[in-house]
Amino acid sequence: MEERKHSDRPRRKRRYSMIPFVALGIAVVLIVLIIVGITSCTKGCSEVSTQTGQTQATTKPAVKDSESTFKMSIAGDYIIYSSIYKGANENANGNGYDFKPMVQNLRQFTEKCDVNYYNQETILGGTEMGLSDYPLFISPQEAGDAMVDLGYNLVSTATNHALDGGEEGILNSCEYWRNQKGVFMTGTFDSQESRDAVNVLECNGIKYSMLDYTYSTNGIPCPEGKDYLINVWPTDLDINDPEKDTAYQEYKKQVKKDIDAVRDKVDFLIVCMHAGVEYMPDESEYQDDMAQFLADNGVNLVIGTHPHVIEPARYIGDTLVYYSMGNLLCSQYQDENYNKVTSILATMTVKKTVKNGETKITFEDIDNQLLYCYYDQNTWRGHKIIPFSSDEIKDYLPDYKQVYNTYKDVFLKLDNTLSFARCAE
């Protein structure tokens, strides 16, 4: 019995010796929990205080000051008349369609840019639908191939001719553009989901997006329940007064909704507006009203198409507005003013500056080129886009200097500080 008691005592002594260590451990845990609780409370209070306007330090990381840029080009209306696609078929020796010789002179501009935009005026419904000319255009998809080959990767399709091939034409076009890697097309859609999708693109650290609207579809209605096929910002040319046009004013709510859905997700926002009066060298009241509305809602760049002639450009605040780029490629009649076969091709540096947490978009190195769309007026063949800055213009347009001066004046009418590329000597 004594041996058992003797042997038990050391065990009781060891058990008692653990108490200080256990107590110490519990104390440490309690202290850590208290510190964590205090820290959590401090962070929560800091956020609430910041939201209520007090000056406590925020827990959000500071945005570093930075600058980033990308190069961009902008071209006008690409209209595929039958004389053009027949010429493209001849270029391909009757086996398909080759539009590349017609547009090859644009490469000198697009190859220097990261983002290249143009307006696909006629729907790329494809040969399976049967090709057609004015007034209902259905164009071969090879016309798009030539532009993609040049590096065009931003395309607007909301035009007054977008429904010329009905729903089938738009669906074929959407499928075609969906299969072009690295190319973003907007303005026409194959579903409500794709119409409502918020698209954010990125180039050199600059996030950007583009929206696109047309004033009309030439009276061709969307199939019932499928208004999503095309963005129509309606204008009533009979009224010709934006303030009295209730349908036009009502649609501003949709445009604002579209802008608000993407504006805080991008640095740079483009809106294309297919609007205006055909063949008029001055912008209409609707175009002015649209541009002001878009500028007021934070759009950085407005690109105008449809009038088929060059119209002025200008800034509205920090928003750069091109009212009409003119016809890039077409077979419209060449009158003594050549107004339907001249266009603007703009190149610029889009610059994003972040300073003190504020992001600003500016445009630098803007260069506005005058282009001529040549074709033989006797054969309606030989279409070719020629810059007025190239010596080649002398061989295709004898009075090129007079034409150049005419459209330089038109383009700079509202803002003569914008650049205009020099003409060949």
Side-chain angles (χ1 to χ4, degrees):
M1 293 290 295
E2 289 181 358
E3 290 180 359
R4 184 177 297 172
K5 290 179 180 179
H6 180 78
S7 62
D8 285 342
R9 278 196 297 269
R11 286 197 295 270
R12 286 196 298 271
K13 186 175 182 180
R14 283 195 297 270
R15 186 165 61 247
Y16 293 147
S17 67
M18 291 295 293
I19 292 175
F21 296 101
V22 172
L24 179 62
I26 293 171
V28 170
V29 170
L30 288 172
I31 292 170
V32 169
L33 289 173
I34 291 169
I35 292 172
V36 170
I38 293 172
T39 304
S40 300
C41 181
T42 303
K43 288 182 178 179
C45 291
S46 176
E47 289 175 356
V48 172
S49 298
T50 301
Q51 292 172 356
T52 57
Q54 297 183 21
T55 58
Q56 281 84 346
T58 178
T59 59
K60 296 181 180 180
V63 178
K64 293 183 178 179
D65 291 355
S66 64
E67 290 183 355
S68 48
T69 63
F70 67 71
K71 291 281 290 182
M72 181 178 185
S73 77
I74 305 168
D77 296 340
Y78 191 58
I79 312 175
I80 311 303
Y81 286 85
S82 61
S83 57
I84 295 177
Y85 65 69
K86 288 176 181 177
N89 180 250
E90 292 165 9
N91 290 340
N93 297 316
N95 185 24
Y97 300 87
D98 183 5
F99 293 85
K100 293 179 182 179
M102 304 178 188
V103 298
Q104 62 184 355
N105 280 337
L106 298 176
R107 191 178 297 277
Q108 61 188 288
F109 306 109
T110 59
E111 66 183 2
K112 298 174 184 176
C113 294
D114 307 292
V115 175
N116 295 293
Y117 160 87
Y118 84 97
N119 178 53
Q120 182 60 57
E121 178 82 22
T122 54
I123 199 73
L124 300 185
T127 55
E128 65 188 75
M129 291 188 64
L131 305 181
S132 60
D133 199 338
Y134 180 86
L136 298 175
F137 291 90
I138 299 175
S139 303
Q141 294 178 341
E142 289 86 345
D145 293 345
M147 300 300 276
V148 173
D149 178 71
L150 288 172
Y152 282 95
N153 51 14
L154 201 58
V155 184
S156 59
T157 58
T159 77
N160 55 310
H161 289 289
L163 274 172
D164 284 2
E167 181 181 5
E168 182 183 359
I170 287 182
L171 295 181
N172 286 2
S173 169
C174 288
E175 182 180 7
Y176 169 79
W177 288 114
R178 190 182 301 110
N179 291 329
Q180 306 309 307
K181 186 177 180 181
V183 178
F184 177 68
M185 179 279 292
T186 192
T188 54
F189 311 92
D190 56 9
S191 68
Q192 188 68 54
E193 289 74 19
S194 61
R195 190 261 173 246
D196 294 338
V198 176
N199 297 286
V200 176
L201 311 172
E202 186 166 357
C203 181
N204 297 343
I206 300 176
K207 292 182 179 180
Y208 68 99
S209 192
M210 184 173 80
L211 304 172
D212 180 30
Y213 306 88
T214 181
Y215 78 102
S216 169
T217 55
N218 291 344
I220 303 174
C222 285
E224 187 176 353
K226 296 185 177 181
D227 288 344
Y228 59 76
L229 288 171
I230 181 168
N231 285 339
V232 181
W233 188 351
T235 66
D236 190 332
L237 297 182
D238 291 331
I239 297 175
N240 200 31
D241 186 345
E243 292 186 7
K244 297 178 181 178
D245 190 338
T246 55
Y248 167 79
Q249 294 294 343
E250 182 66 20
Y251 195 79
K252 282 183 177 179
K253 296 177 183 177
Q254 180 63 60
V255 177
K256 180 169 173 48
K257 181 179 178 181
D258 295 340
I259 291 172
D260 289 347
V262 72
R263 179 63 275 187
D264 64 349
K265 298 176 177 63
V266 298
D267 308 302
F268 176 47
L269 181 58
I270 308 162
V271 172
C272 303
M273 55 180 198
H274 198 74
V277 180
E278 289 184 321
Y279 316 125
M280 291 295 292
D282 296 310
E283 79 282 6
S284 69
E285 291 185 18
Y286 277 104
Q287 287 169 282
D288 267 334
D289 192 81
M290 287 177 172
Q292 185 67 59
F293 177 79
L294 296 172
D296 290 344
N297 282 278
V299 174
N300 303 105
L301 175 64
V302 177
I303 304 173
T305 58
H306 170 65
H308 307 304
V309 296
I310 295 168
E311 291 180 349
R314 67 164 173 154
Y315 279 96
I316 300 178
D318 293 329
T319 303
L320 180 57
V321 178
Y322 287 86
Y323 282 108
S324 176
M325 306 301 293
N327 287 336
L328 178 66
L329 185 70
C330 74
S331 287
Q332 294 193 333
Y333 286 103
Q334 301 183 32
D335 60 17
E336 67 276 9
N337 295 319
Y338 298 94
N339 62 343
K340 303 176 189 69
V341 288
T342 53
S343 70
I344 295 295
L345 186 143
T347 60
M348 62 192 68
T349 298
V350 178
K351 183 177 181 181
K352 169 189 170 182
T353 303
V354 179
K355 189 170 184 179
N356 298 327
E358 295 292 325
T359 298
K360 186 173 183 178
I361 292 291
T362 53
F363 303 99
E364 298 184 349
D365 306 319
I366 299 176
D367 183 44
N368 297 298
Q369 289 274 341
L370 186 63
L371 304 180
Y372 172 49
C373 176
Y374 166 82
Y375 64 85
D376 187 316
Q377 295 185 60
N378 296 314
T379 64
W380 296 81
R381 295 292 190 273
H383 290 76
K384 190 174 186 179
I385 300 170
I386 305 165
F388 275 71
S389 58
S390 167
D391 285 337
E392 189 179 12
I393 193 70
K394 302 173 186 177
D395 300 327
Y396 291 89
L397 187 60
D399 52 349
Y400 68 95
K401 286 189 177 180
Q402 178 182 340
V403 175
Y404 170 87
N405 288 328
T406 296
Y407 294 107
K408 179 180 180 181
D409 290 343
V410 169
F411 182 76
L412 298 178
K413 180 179 178 179
L414 299 180
D415 188 346
N416 61 13
T417 66
L418 292 171
S419 70
F420 203 78
R422 296 183 64 181
C423 184
E425 295 298 329

